[in-house]
């Protein structure tokens, strides 16, 4: 059966490929340690579940009205962005989305005409380039390697801009590297765009999972110009351990949000109504649960990066946030007789039964991604196995 060229050209998700291989080995009865999944191991906090349950009991089982988000959620998002991010929005500047992923896709489709360029720092989250290509755009990559802490410089951004540049994707803290830009670094990047019409898509999924007491600064909060030229994305997925609920939101210029909402009504009709109420409860409720999860991620991240750095041939920048490390393992390629990160991760899985994601899926073939959103026992076992694998 023929499938469209568009779908033939679409890359498979590398993270899902690892999960599938892990599941297949487990089905054979093999004890696999998986550091592949990008989702918190914690359960969704009870008060959020109860809000969903109460919404169902009230009969909130119909299409959301409007599809772009019930008033309670839009108000909760507006309050969150004002309280935590110093940003002021009106309800027509907010859209509720099916996870962060739908928001980003709606934005690319709303912004891009064929051949429009989108600047994406590498390593990147897997879906950015694929979503850009799906709607006819052209990803333009800027390389940020381990030596620069996986962060791009203002000069690199300036050099990448062409007359065709329509958008810039900014993700801090980052999946897959855990790198986090400081407020000053964010200001400096925003300043480069100050005399352009480039729209920044600021993916702030991990804004609350920042380590070492660092302060988070939203890209849109850097200046009035940035506010007028930025779409901000977030979701319940990572902050409130709600990956399976599929609920997120975006905020930004009215015209863009209107375009995204129009596309949403013709494609998905938006997120499930009762999950919108759960997300509102998550944003309005006690935030202690987020702080506790962040503290756990921080100590696990420290443990993993220190353990990896002790290994010969492995260089692992300490994560600034999120729940990933992205060690450079290329100095071990020759002794293992592998040519890149895919073969490296494949060998680790087959021989030592540890699942990690090859860096090539994120645009950097020297590295692999390890998620530390899993228990300390699992992480300790994974580190023992990786050490033995490299010995
Ligand atoms: N953006 C980044 C950087 C992510 O890591 C993820 C999830 O892995 C998403 C967006 C999408 O999140 P969601 O599961 O809410 O669609």
């Amino acid at each position: 059966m023929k499938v469209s060229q568009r779908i033939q050209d679409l890359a498979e998700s590398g993270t899902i490929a690892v999960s599938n291989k892990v599941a297949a080995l487990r089905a054979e009865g093999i004890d696999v340690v998986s550091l592949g999944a990008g989702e918190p191991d914690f359960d969704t906090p009870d008060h959020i579940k109860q809000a969903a349950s109460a919404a169902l009991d009230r009969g909130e089982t119909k299409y959301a009205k409007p599809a772009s988000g019930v008033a309670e959620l839009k108000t909760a998002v507006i309050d969150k962005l004002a309280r935590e991010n110093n940003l002021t929005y009106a309800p027509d500047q907010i859209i509720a989305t099916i996870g962060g992923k739908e928001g980003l896709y709606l934005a690319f489709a709303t912004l891009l005409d064929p051949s429009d360029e989108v600047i994406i720092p590498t390593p990147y989250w897997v879906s950015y380039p694929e979503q850009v290509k799906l709607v006819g755009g052209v990803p333009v990559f800027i390389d940020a390697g381990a030596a620069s802490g996986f962060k791009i410089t203002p000069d690199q951004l300036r050099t990448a801009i062409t007359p065709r540049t329509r958008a810039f994707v900014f993700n801090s803290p980052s999946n897959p590297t855990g790198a986090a830009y400081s407020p000053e670094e964010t200001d400096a990047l925003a300043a480069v765009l100050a005399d352009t019409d480039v729209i920044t898509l600021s993916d702030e999924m991990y804004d609350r999972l920042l380590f070492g007491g660092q302060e988070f600064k939203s890209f849109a909060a850097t200046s009035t110009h940035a506010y007028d030229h930025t779409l901000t994305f977030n979701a319940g997925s990572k902050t409130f351990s709600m990956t399976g609920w599929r609920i997120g939101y975006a905020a930004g210029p009215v015209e863009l949000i209107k375009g995204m909402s129009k596309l949403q009504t013709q494609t998905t009709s938006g997120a499930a109504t009762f999950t919108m109420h759960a997300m509102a409860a998550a944003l309005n409720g006690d935030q202690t649960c987020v702080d506790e999860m962040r503290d756990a991620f921080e100590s696990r991240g420290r443990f993993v990066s220190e353990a990896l750095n002790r290994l010969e041939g492995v260089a692992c920048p300490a994560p600034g946030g999120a729940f990933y490390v992205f060690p450079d393992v290329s100095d071990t390629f020759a002794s293992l007789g592998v040519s890149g990160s895919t073969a490296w991760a494949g060998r680790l899985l087959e021989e030592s039964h540890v699942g990690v994601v090859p860096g090539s899926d994120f645009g950097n073939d020297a590295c692999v991604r390890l998620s530390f959103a899993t228990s300390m026992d699992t992480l300790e076992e994974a580190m023992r196995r990786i050490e033995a694998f490299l010995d």
Side-chain angles (χ1 to χ4, degrees):
M1 182 68 71
K2 182 180 176 302
V3 296
S4 71
Q5 196 57 48
R6 189 184 306 116
I7 297 304
Q8 288 182 51
D9 292 344
L10 191 63
E12 295 277 357
S13 158
T15 37
I16 290 175
V18 172
S19 302
N20 290 346
K21 272 193 222 155
V22 167
L25 287 173
R26 281 183 178 153
E28 289 173 31
I30 295 170
D31 165 30
V32 184
V33 175
S34 180
L35 307 186
E39 60 182 345
D41 56 324
F42 300 105
D43 196 5
T44 304
D46 270 341
H47 67 281
I48 300 174
K49 290 186 190 173
Q50 279 157 16
S53 188
L56 287 171
D57 290 344
R58 284 198 307 275
E60 307 270 8
T61 55
K62 310 291 185 206
Y63 293 126
K65 294 172 192 76
S68 64
V70 297
E72 290 87 334
L73 176 55
K74 289 196 179 188
T75 303
V77 169
I78 288 167
D79 291 349
K80 182 269 185 216
L81 290 168
R83 186 176 66 235
E84 295 177 11
N85 306 86
N86 204 20
L87 292 168
T88 306
Y89 288 106
D92 60 357
Q93 292 181 281
I94 307 290
I95 179 172
T97 56
I98 304 175
K101 201 174 255 183
E102 190 204 21
L104 288 155
Y105 183 71
L106 294 174
F108 288 128
T110 299
L111 281 167
L112 303 180
D113 282 320
S115 307
D116 280 351
E117 294 176 357
V118 180
I119 298 173
I120 302 176
T122 304
Y124 46 73
W125 178 57
V126 285
S127 296
Y128 302 138
E130 297 310 313
Q131 291 193 350
V132 167
K133 287 188 276 179
L134 262 180
V135 298
V138 179
V140 172
F141 299 109
I142 311 180
D143 193 38
S148 61
F150 297 117
K151 295 187 217 177
I152 60 161
T153 64
D155 273 345
Q156 283 182 296
L157 178 57
R158 196 173 296 112
T159 309
I161 297 170
T162 77
R164 292 232 58 109
T165 306
R166 181 74 179 109
F168 164 55
V169 178
F170 184 65
N171 172 219
S172 175
S174 151
N175 176 5
T177 65
Y181 289 77
S182 68
E184 295 73 26
E185 288 166 336
T186 307
D187 284 338
L189 290 177
V192 171
L193 303 179
D195 55 359
T196 74
D197 289 329
V198 173
I199 300 294
T200 298
L201 279 69
S202 186
D203 180 337
E204 303 186 359
M205 301 289 143
Y206 300 93
D207 66 336
R208 300 288 306 279
L209 305 180
L210 202 53
F211 306 153
Q214 292 175 86
E215 189 196 329
F216 180 80
K217 185 163 192 177
S218 280
F219 202 91
T222 56
S223 69
T224 311
H225 181 274
Y227 176 84
D228 290 336
H229 291 80
T230 300
L231 281 162
T232 300
F233 300 85
N234 212 324
S237 306
K238 317 291 173 168
T239 307
F240 299 101
S241 204
M242 293 175 75
T243 45
W245 295 69
R246 312 308 306 130
I247 181 75
Y249 56 89
V254 176
E255 287 311 313
L256 295 179
I257 296 294
K258 212 190 265 176
M260 291 163 66
S261 304
K262 185 161 77 167
L263 176 57
Q264 190 182 52
T265 58
Q266 296 291 16
T267 51
T268 59
S269 291
T273 312
F274 64 96
T275 69
M276 292 185 186
H277 288 282
M279 185 77 225
L283 293 171
N284 291 336
D286 184 358
Q287 302 294 301
T288 315
C289 55
V290 180
D291 296 338
E292 285 169 0
M293 289 191 268
R294 189 217 38 231
D295 289 349
F297 291 137
E298 181 162 2
S299 57
R300 294 171 189 181
R302 196 177 314 119
F303 166 74
V304 172
S305 59
E306 286 173 5
L308 288 168
N309 275 323
R310 280 195 291 272
L311 303 178
E312 177 105 19
V314 178
C316 183
F323 37 67
Y324 310 100
V325 282
F326 202 62
D328 185 326
V329 293
S330 57
D331 282 352
T332 69
F333 287 174
S335 57
L336 289 168
V338 301
S339 57
S341 62
T342 306
W344 195 98
R347 285 268 304 272
L348 180 68
L349 183 56
E350 275 150 35
E351 292 171 23
S352 302
H353 305 142
V354 179
V356 302
V357 186
S360 55
D361 290 331
F362 309 98
N364 181 324
D365 201 27
C367 299
V368 290
R369 188 193 78 174
L370 283 68
S371 160
F372 49 84
T374 188
S375 72
M376 269 310 254
D377 285 351
T378 304
L379 293 172
E380 281 167 7
E381 178 59 19
M383 291 307 123
R384 268 193 291 276
R385 292 187 191 190
I386 293 174
E387 187 175 358
F389 171 70
L390 293 177
D391 216 8

